[in-house]
Amino acid sequence: MQRSPEATRFVLVAGTTETARRDGLSAAGADPDLLSTTPAADAELLTYGRPVRTDTVPVSPSGCPTPALVTRAVRELVGFDLTVVDGGLAEPTGAPTVSVGAGVGRDIGEQDPVPTAYGAFEAARQFGRRLPTNELWLAETVPGGTTTALGVLRALGEDAMVSSSLPENPVERKRAAVSEGLEASSLAPGEAAGEPKRAVRRMGDPVLATLSGLATGALETDTPVTLAGGTQQLAVAALVRHTGYEGRLGLATTSYVADDPTADLRASAAGLGLDLTVTDPGFDASDHVGMARFVAGEAKEGVGMGGALALSDRAGVPMAEVRERFAGVYDDLLESDATDAEKSPASGGSG
Amino acid sequence: MQRSPEATRFVLVAGTTETARRDGLSAAGADPDLLSTTPAADAELLTYGRPVRTDTVPVSPSGCPTPALVTRAVRELVGFDLTVVDGGLAEPTGAPTVSVGAGVGRDIGEQDPVPTAYGAFEAARQFGRRLPTNELWLAETVPGGTTTALGVLRALGEDAMVSSSLPENPVERKRAAVSEGLEASSLAPGEAAGEPKRAVRRMGDPVLATLSGLATGALETDTPVTLAGGTQQLAVAALVRHTGYEGRLGLATTSYVADDPTADLRASAAGLGLDLTVTDPGFDASDHVGMARFVAGEAKEGVGMGGALALSDRAGVPMAEVRERFAGVYDDLLESDATDAEKSPASGGSG
């Protein structure tokens, strides 16, 4: 095997926002303490294929695993390079991480929920400028992140709606949280248009600040960027557009997000001028419990799942092989970890 | 390419000790400020093949490059997994790192130069217990590290002598620094026998604390460990032996360290019961400037160079191919970086 600095590189930004502690916002709802571990666990799963410092594989009470297992399965098949950036982790991770100075995000209802946003954006931007790669795929894991994504979209004056890791999108709860946040930040909707760092500091989370900085830096140096994820990545795309960048930008997501009627991803992506790739993992062809939960509308996306599926598709890996590998990863981890899995409420990745 | 969690894993522990600021102890002697950047740069070179957050490739004034370039060349040919652990970095690195709580090491002449030693040892031990791999190769980069290695050996009562990154080993300076350290720590030679954490806290550096913790944890869980490096790794081996471990432990180094008459590596390795592998990169067959400086006795080892050479040998890669790749890496980096290289005094890795 030869490794070239010009390969495809996946960057996973893993972090937290206390917004996830609000009732009923995330599939990771049962226990806020375990929820804050999900990004650290996702980073380990993608890096090593198993938990190292964390104890559990994030799985929802109904058995939906973190989408990190799908992305990991693809990584085992396709072999992309991986860099994890600390976008405000609350718990230690055994995955190696790059620091950009992002701290834990506070609740969206506070006046200044992401005080590290400016610094993290700029450090991530410098890192994105210099990171050697031919193409950059950006992924996220931040429970509660669709609510902060909605907050950023509203602050920028973008009318896109966000999806959910829950089968029933708690749209009203999200809107209420965003209204509370706008009031606390003394912002009218659209008032932060053209001011992406202000929007993400007042209404977002540290993962969004870091991702938009990384994308901006990479694009400034002509590295193609694909945002791997769902409606949280729409917020990243909006932040990048509000820096003034008008060039190409990709969004790669799953069919579960693209088909979610509570968000109109295709229209929003078109409105932001994104090159959209939607990939269906074909989980409805299986009766595997992990796949069935996705088909039922849980999780939908996260930890770069849609981007990973797009990469495997591009590499010519049959989707049946991805499903088989995912089932293998799931069975290995959750058979040996059945007791712990019962205790973990999080479904990882998307919020 | 399939990636398995059971592959060969290299762990590079990168950190600093202010002992390196003493005059004439390291090939990285001209400018203490740049010297503290060497481990951060080595981590980036091994991870990405080029500097990312750091500005320069560590090169001695006479043109000897950091051995990181040799290890990187082998990584490009053989493709081992890499994890970088922060063993007390003084400067930010763009390489992803795992934290074990190690802080910058203070001067060996202080009473308590490594206050984070106990915590770093234990965190590294836990990490070593759980890190998924079939075999662990441990590497280091810490300028000044042979002096702290000598300090640890003396505190433990081991009579091994250490090598040097300089062509002329400043043996008397090292002995004087160690005597000063023993006095400041109120330790008689051999007084810390059987107390490895005490020895490394009072006379060592945070990289030695981290490496010995990693090795101990991996060995406790029956993961084979090879210490990749020179006489600094002898000190790690001694620390591991003084935990009471009597099983197999490997040491893989270069012919430059093994042939250094100022240290008797073979006898010391035998005394510690190590399985020794010595690999000659055959640089004397070349007139390439980077290789010629190694042949002249500079650097000798560091950043796992000897271990990388052993891995390439085991994989059946002809040494001529390693030399060719190394020359390519060197020429790419130092032709595009000629001005910066002039400014950088460090030769990386070994101390």
Side-chain angles (χ1 to χ4, degrees):
Chain A
M1 185 189 74
Q2 302 226 348
R3 299 177 69 86
S4 150
E6 283 78 33
T8 298
R9 186 175 295 277
F10 230 75
V11 174
L12 172 66
V13 180
T16 56
T17 165
E18 289 177 358
T19 306
R21 293 177 173 267
R22 288 173 173 243
D23 281 345
L25 276 189
S26 174
D31 181 340
D33 292 334
L34 267 175
L35 185 152
S36 70
T37 307
T38 297
D42 282 343
E44 292 179 352
L45 291 167
L46 193 49
T47 300
Y48 301 115
R50 66 185 74 166
V52 173
R53 277 187 177 160
T54 58
D55 291 322
T56 58
V57 177
V59 174
S60 78
S62 63
C64 190
T66 168
L69 303 193
V70 180
T71 306
R72 171 67 196 189
V74 171
R75 186 167 181 238
E76 292 181 8
L77 294 168
V78 176
F80 51 79
D81 283 326
L82 171 68
T83 306
V84 181
V85 173
D86 182 343
L89 287 165
E91 302 287 336
T93 181
T97 59
V98 174
S99 172
V100 292
V104 167
R106 295 201 286 257
D107 184 81
I108 192 173
E110 294 192 23
Q111 186 263 337
D112 190 14
V114 196
T116 55
Y118 283 52
F121 180 95
E122 288 301 337
R125 179 180 169 189
Q126 289 307 318
F127 185 61
R129 290 178 67 90
R130 299 198 59 188
L131 188 63
T133 187
N134 262 359
E135 53 172 350
L136 196 60
W137 293 65
L138 295 177
E140 54 69 34
T141 169
V142 48
T146 55
T147 301
T148 39
L150 183 64
V152 161
L153 289 163
R154 289 299 167 274
L156 295 172
E158 299 287 342
D159 64 1
M161 191 51 211
V162 294
S163 188
S164 172
S165 57
L166 290 159
E168 298 289 322
N169 193 348
V171 171
E172 288 312 318
R173 286 176 195 261
K174 290 181 184 178
R175 287 192 173 129
V178 168
S179 293
E180 190 186 328
L182 288 168
E183 190 170 349
S185 301
S186 305
L187 275 177
E191 192 179 325
E195 298 177 275
K197 286 187 278 190
R198 184 176 172 213
V200 76
R201 174 167 180 167
R202 297 300 179 186
M203 294 297 293
D205 63 57
V207 171
L208 293 173
T210 304
L211 284 168
S212 52
L214 285 168
T216 299
L219 292 165
E220 283 169 351
T221 48
D222 296 323
T223 301
V225 173
T226 303
L227 305 172
T231 49
Q232 286 166 261
Q233 296 285 17
L234 276 184
V236 175
L239 288 164
V240 171
R241 291 300 184 209
H242 281 258
T243 66
Y245 174 77
E246 296 178 347
R248 297 195 72 158
L249 181 58
L251 177 67
T253 194
T254 64
S255 50
Y256 305 115
V257 172
D259 297 344
D260 179 358
T262 67
D264 188 353
L265 181 83
R266 290 173 201 273
S268 301
L272 288 164
L274 307 178
D275 301 325
L276 180 65
T277 307
V278 176
T279 311
D280 181 351
F283 286 174
D284 50 355
S286 163
D287 57 3
H288 188 279
V289 56
M291 301 190 207
R293 300 320 306 161
F294 280 92
V295 174
E298 282 193 71
K300 294 189 186 71
E301 172 58 279
V303 200
M305 175 177 167
L309 294 173
L311 275 175
S312 64
D313 198 43
R314 190 180 76 178
V317 177
M319 211 50 76
E321 210 174 306
V322 172
R323 290 193 295 273
E324 190 185 340
R325 180 62 68 117
F326 165 61
V329 169
Y330 179 99
D331 295 343
D332 282 354
L333 286 171
L334 294 167
E335 280 169 21
S336 65
D337 193 34
T339 315
D340 288 328
E342 291 298 312
K343 289 185 286 186
S344 175
S347 71
S350 207
Chain B
M1 185 189 75
Q2 302 226 349
R3 299 177 70 88
S4 153
E6 284 77 34
T8 298
R9 186 175 295 278
F10 231 74
V11 174
L12 172 66
V13 180
T16 55
T17 167
E18 289 177 358
T19 307
R21 293 176 173 267
R22 289 173 174 243
D23 282 346
L25 277 189
S26 174
D31 181 340
D33 292 333
L34 267 174
L35 184 151
S36 70
T37 306
T38 297
D42 281 343
E44 294 178 352
L45 290 167
L46 193 48
T47 300
Y48 300 115
R50 65 184 74 165
V52 172
R53 276 187 177 159
T54 57
D55 291 322
T56 58
V57 177
V59 174
S60 77
S62 63
C64 190
T66 168
L69 302 193
V70 179
T71 307
R72 171 68 196 187
V74 171
R75 184 165 183 239
E76 292 181 8
L77 294 167
V78 175
F80 52 79
D81 283 326
L82 171 68
T83 306
V84 181
V85 173
D86 182 343
L89 287 165
E91 303 286 336
T93 179
T97 59
V98 175
S99 172
V100 292
V104 167
R106 295 201 287 257
D107 184 80
I108 192 173
E110 294 192 23
Q111 185 263 335
D112 190 14
V114 196
T116 55
Y118 283 51
F121 180 96
E122 288 301 337
R125 180 180 169 189
Q126 289 307 318
F127 186 61
R129 290 180 66 90
R130 299 198 59 186
L131 189 63
T133 187
N134 262 359
E135 54 173 350
L136 196 59
W137 293 65
L138 296 177
E140 53 68 35
T141 168
V142 48
T146 54
T147 301
T148 41
L150 183 64
V152 162
L153 289 163
R154 288 299 167 273
L156 294 172
E158 299 286 342
D159 64 1
M161 191 51 210
V162 293
S163 187
S164 172
S165 57
L166 290 158
E168 297 289 322
N169 194 347
V171 172
E172 288 313 318
R173 285 176 194 262
K174 290 181 184 178
R175 287 193 173 130
V178 169
S179 293
E180 190 186 327
L182 288 168
E183 190 170 350
S185 300
S186 306
L187 275 178
E191 192 179 324
E195 298 177 276
K197 286 187 279 191
R198 183 175 174 214
V200 75
R201 175 167 179 168
R202 296 300 179 184
M203 294 298 293
D205 62 58
V207 171
L208 293 172
T210 304
L211 284 168
S212 52
L214 284 167
T216 299
L219 292 166
E220 282 170 350
T221 48
D222 297 323
T223 301
V225 173
T226 304
L227 305 172
T231 48
Q232 286 166 261
Q233 296 287 17
L234 275 184
V236 175
L239 288 164
V240 171
R241 291 300 185 209
H242 281 258
T243 67
Y245 174 77
E246 296 179 349
R248 297 196 71 157
L249 182 57
L251 177 67
T253 194
T254 63
S255 51
Y256 304 115
V257 171
D259 297 344
D260 179 358
T262 67
D264 188 352
L265 180 83
R266 289 172 200 274
S268 302
L272 288 164
L274 307 178
D275 301 324
L276 179 64
T277 307
V278 175
T279 311
D280 181 350
F283 286 174
D284 50 356
S286 164
D287 57 2
H288 188 278
V289 57
M291 301 189 206
R293 301 320 305 161
F294 280 92
V295 174
E298 282 194 71
K300 295 189 185 71
E301 173 58 277
V303 201
M305 175 178 167
L309 293 173
L311 275 176
S312 64
D313 198 42
R314 190 179 75 176
V317 177
M319 211 50 77
E321 210 174 304
V322 173
R323 290 194 294 273
E324 191 185 340
R325 180 64 68 118
F326 166 61
V329 169
Y330 179 99
D331 294 344
D332 281 355
L333 287 170
L334 294 166
E335 279 169 21
S336 65
D337 193 37
T339 314
D340 289 327
E342 291 298 313
K343 289 185 285 186
S344 175
S347 71
S350 208

